[in-house]
Amino acid sequence: PVEMLRNREWGKFKNDISRLNKLRESFEKVIYVSGVELLYSGWIFSRSNSFKGNPNQLILEFVSEAVDLEKTLILFREHPLLITQTSSLACDLSDLPNVVNVSSYPFSYVMKIADIVVSLPSKVQLEALIIGKSVISFGPCVAPEAFKIQRYVQLKDCFEMKSIDVREALDSLESEPDTDAVEIDRYVRFLNVFNTKPESRA
């Protein structure tokens, strides 16, 4: 109730949120698979302009195969642009157990209840890390290769991966923190340098 008051957008989804909160109680972990816009960003085409497939669908299937479905709830949210402009590219969730379509839910609520965020490179990944979530990225996004970020695993292009790779990535997030990895607040301070004028950069 307090969260509903603080987040006015949530009020319109009170019943849906209550049902999902109750469902969540049956699982130990929540994984949020964040869908990206596909057509205009070129995710579904190769460099030669041939059709590769739907990477959002592929990642969802990888996650479903990699987790213990008795303990894991999977949330999926389509990118708003895909919904409004290329809805024919939406994922088919009908054969994926424990996957709940939360595309109509407030983004802030989905991020709040997720433990792990999985997606192609997206600003959602950085937002997730800043608020303390773990992140798996299919491709480079958050940091240059020279950086190792805590709670962050970067995989290869999803078309080069298998579900076992996702399982290993999830296992690594549950292991002891890498003492050599950079904490996200230190990395954000590093990024902030690029918001200053060139002559003032150290």
Side-chain angles (χ1 to χ4, degrees), residues 92-119:
D92 179 6
L93 311 184
S94 59
D95 294 327
L96 298 175
N98 288 15
V99 176
V100 178
N101 188 340
V102 292
S103 298
S104 63
Y105 285 60
F107 171 72
S108 58
Y109 166 74
V110 177
M111 288 286 277
K112 177 180 173 58
I113 70 169
D115 300 304
I116 300 171
V117 175
V118 182
S119 77

Side-chain angles (χ1 to χ4, degrees), residues 17-197:
I17 288 175
S18 296
R19 282 194 294 269
L20 191 53
N21 280 338
K22 188 173 182 179
L23 176 62
R24 185 195 181 194
E25 293 174 0
S26 302
F27 298 94
E28 296 180 8
K29 184 183 302 179
V30 177
I31 297 179
Y32 166 36
V33 178
S34 179
V36 297
E37 190 280 316
L38 299 174
L39 185 62
Y40 304 110
S41 299
W43 288 114
I44 62 174
F45 295 105
S46 67
R47 292 183 178 179
S48 63
N49 211 32
S50 60
F51 181 74
K52 293 190 298 183
N54 185 333
N56 289 336
Q57 183 80 39
L58 186 58
I59 291 172
L60 260 177
E61 292 170 0
F62 282 158
V63 172
S64 295
E65 293 170 3
V67 302
D68 182 343
L69 293 174
E70 292 186 358
K71 299 179 180 179
T72 311
L73 177 64
I74 303 170
L75 307 179
F76 176 70
R77 194 170 188 270
E78 291 280 13
H79 192 281
L81 280 179
L82 186 145
I83 294 173
T84 58
Q85 299 184 26
T86 54
S87 57
S88 61
L89 297 175
C91 289
D92 179 6
L93 311 184
S94 59
D95 294 327
L96 298 175
N98 288 15
V99 176
V100 178
N101 188 340
V102 292
S103 298
S104 63
Y105 285 60
F107 171 72
S108 58
Y109 166 74
V110 177
M111 288 286 277
K112 177 180 173 58
I113 70 169
D115 300 304
I116 300 171
V117 175
V118 182
S119 77
L120 290 160
S122 165
K123 66 180 181 180
V124 167
Q125 296 174 348
L126 184 57
E127 293 179 53
L129 286 170
I130 288 173
I131 63 174
K133 310 297 179 178
S134 297
V135 170
I136 296 176
S137 175
F138 284 86
C141 178
V142 171
E145 291 184 6
F147 281 86
K148 288 192 297 181
I149 307 296
Q150 287 187 359
R151 301 190 308 274
Y152 174 74
V153 178
Q154 182 177 304
L155 301 177
K156 297 178 182 178
D157 185 295
C158 62
F159 293 105
E160 302 175 22
M161 307 299 292
K162 298 179 181 179
S163 59
I164 190 172
D165 301 310
V166 179
R167 175 68 268 168
E168 291 174 354
L170 290 168
D171 288 343
S172 71
L173 290 174
E174 294 177 356
S175 62
E176 290 296 320
D178 185 345
T179 56
D180 294 328
V182 175
E183 294 180 359
I184 190 62
D185 59 336
R186 287 176 55 203
Y187 180 60
V188 170
R189 288 198 296 271
F190 164 79
L191 290 178
N192 194 49
V193 172
F194 298 95
N195 287 328
T196 60
K197 295 180 180 180

